[in-house]
Amino acid sequence: MTENKRDEMTVEQWISLRKGEGKRIDPDHAEFTFHWGQIMDPYGVDPDLPDEYDQIGRLYFARNPNSDLGFL
């Protein structure tokens, strides 16, 4: 999904789309990755994250091969 499409969606719509796609991931064929980031807001969609939730950790993501949504 391009950033322009993400900008046209509400956070709730974007999360709902990702949850639906996540349910279709086949663990036997999924691609995996990780990066370091905000563990309490791994997708960076909460602009009002309280300071006490500011924790950095290793984030793991999976996707179906050739998915146009990127890693979930």
Side-chain angles (χ1 to χ4, degrees):
M1 174 180 299
T2 66
E3 285 300 314
N4 292 339
K5 282 285 192 189
R6 182 176 173 185
D7 292 341
E8 295 171 8
M9 293 181 168
T10 67
V11 171
E12 291 79 14
Q13 290 171 325
W14 188 81
I15 290 172
S16 177
L17 178 67
R18 291 224 178 261
K19 283 183 178 182
E21 183 67 18
K23 291 176 182 178
R24 291 186 282 278
I25 293 175
D26 177 0
D28 292 332
H29 298 97
E31 297 174 347
F32 299 92
T33 191
F34 77 91
H35 67 264
W36 296 94
Q38 182 54 257
I39 62 172
M40 299 302 286
D41 184 22
Y43 293 108
V45 296
D46 186 356
D48 300 319
L49 191 67
D51 289 342
E52 60 266 21
Y53 292 165
D54 187 16
Q55 299 179 19
I56 302 300
R58 196 171 188 177
L59 306 172
Y60 296 88
F61 298 90
R63 72 174 183 179
N64 280 319
N66 303 318
S67 172
D68 63 344
L69 287 182
F71 285 95
L72 304 174

